[in-house]
């Protein structure tokens, strides 16, 4: 059995319109939510073998914060350029190429790609994965075989379930 954790980056800062989208940092709420959601995953005893992230500043920072809470070394996070604002199909292409030695992977990326990917590979539909939302999926296939409706949703967590 394999597990996939789809994580949308935490809330980003929009106050400086001169910043390119790629370089937007986390805002105050994002800096609160990312460690909190990392704790939620730690309480679920999540221990990923492989951690993949978009290289955008907000996504990379979310990945580093959450990996720290899961005792996964930040230096081992793999940054994949194609995950920046990737379509669901591009994210699935990345999943389909994961080495079989890994049984549990985390992907930190962007919407709408993550929500559309969940709705393609999961048995449960989600209207929207909010910022710092996490979907846990389980699958009994090889990475390269994951496709339409092949995963069972284990959970869907997001900050507003806990924090107001």
């Amino acid at each position: 059995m394999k597990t996939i954790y789809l994580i949308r980056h935490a809330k980003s800062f929009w106050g400086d319109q001169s910043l390119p989208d790629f370089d937007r940092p986390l805002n105050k709420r994002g800096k609160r939510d990312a460690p909190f959601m990392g704790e939620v995953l730690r309480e679920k005893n999540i221990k990923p073998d492989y951690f993949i992230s978009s290289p955008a500043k907000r996504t990379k920072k979310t990945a580093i914060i959450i990996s720290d809470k899961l005792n996964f070394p930040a230096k081992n996070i793999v940054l994949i350029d194609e995950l920046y604002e990737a379509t669901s199909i591009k994210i699935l292409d990345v999943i389909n190429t994961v080495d079989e030695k890994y049984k549990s992977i985390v992907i930190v990326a962007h919407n709408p790609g993550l929500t559309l990917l969940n709705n393609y590979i999961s048995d449960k539909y989600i209207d929207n994965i909010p910022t710092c939302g996490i979907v846990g999926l389980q699958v009994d296939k090889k990475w390269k075989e994951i496709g339409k409706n092949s995963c069972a949703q284990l959970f869907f967590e997001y900050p507003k379930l806990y924090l107001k």
Side-chain angles (χ1 to χ4, degrees):
M1 207 54 86
K2 293 182 172 74
T3 51
I4 304 167
Y5 302 99
L6 303 176
I7 303 177
R8 183 175 173 197
H9 63 79
K11 195 83 174 152
S12 61
F13 178 71
W14 285 87
D16 182 353
Q17 296 299 316
S18 70
L19 271 180
D21 179 72
F22 187 88
D23 295 327
R24 284 191 292 115
L26 297 181
N27 70 8
K28 184 177 177 182
R29 195 171 98 201
K31 290 175 186 173
R32 175 200 71 182
D33 291 352
F36 179 81
M37 293 308 292
E39 290 289 343
V40 168
L41 289 180
R42 185 165 63 192
E43 287 175 16
K44 291 180 179 291
N45 204 30
I46 304 301
K47 296 184 186 322
D49 302 316
Y50 193 51
F51 219 107
I52 308 167
S53 177
S54 156
K57 187 171 188 170
R58 62 193 179 275
T59 323
K60 182 179 173 184
K61 185 64 174 176
T62 301
I64 289 168
I65 292 168
I66 291 176
S67 72
D68 180 61
K69 296 294 182 182
L70 301 179
N71 295 314
F72 187 94
K75 66 181 172 63
N76 293 342
I77 296 170
V78 177
L79 301 177
I80 299 179
D81 292 340
E82 292 80 18
L83 287 178
Y84 175 61
E85 296 191 333
T87 65
S88 58
I89 299 305
K90 180 36 98 179
I91 302 169
L92 182 57
D93 286 346
V94 169
I95 292 170
N96 290 154
T97 62
V98 169
D99 190 306
E100 283 302 312
K101 70 181 178 184
Y102 300 115
K103 301 298 176 211
S104 175
I105 66 170
V106 171
I107 298 176
V108 185
H110 310 265
N111 253 359
L114 285 175
T115 298
L116 295 171
L117 175 65
N118 174 80
N119 294 341
Y120 183 72
I121 66 174
S122 176
D123 62 346
K124 291 196 175 116
Y125 179 86
I126 295 174
D127 282 332
N128 178 54
I129 298 173
T131 52
C132 219
I134 305 169
V135 179
L137 302 167
Q138 192 168 48
V139 62
D140 191 18
K141 292 182 177 289
K142 293 183 177 188
W143 295 117
K144 66 182 178 184
E145 297 171 346
I146 295 174
K148 189 166 181 60
N149 299 325
S150 60
C151 299
Q153 192 181 104
L154 299 171
F155 62 82
F156 173 35
E157 300 276 5
Y158 49 94
K160 286 187 180 177
L161 284 175
Y162 303 92
L163 306 168
K164 302 296 176 202

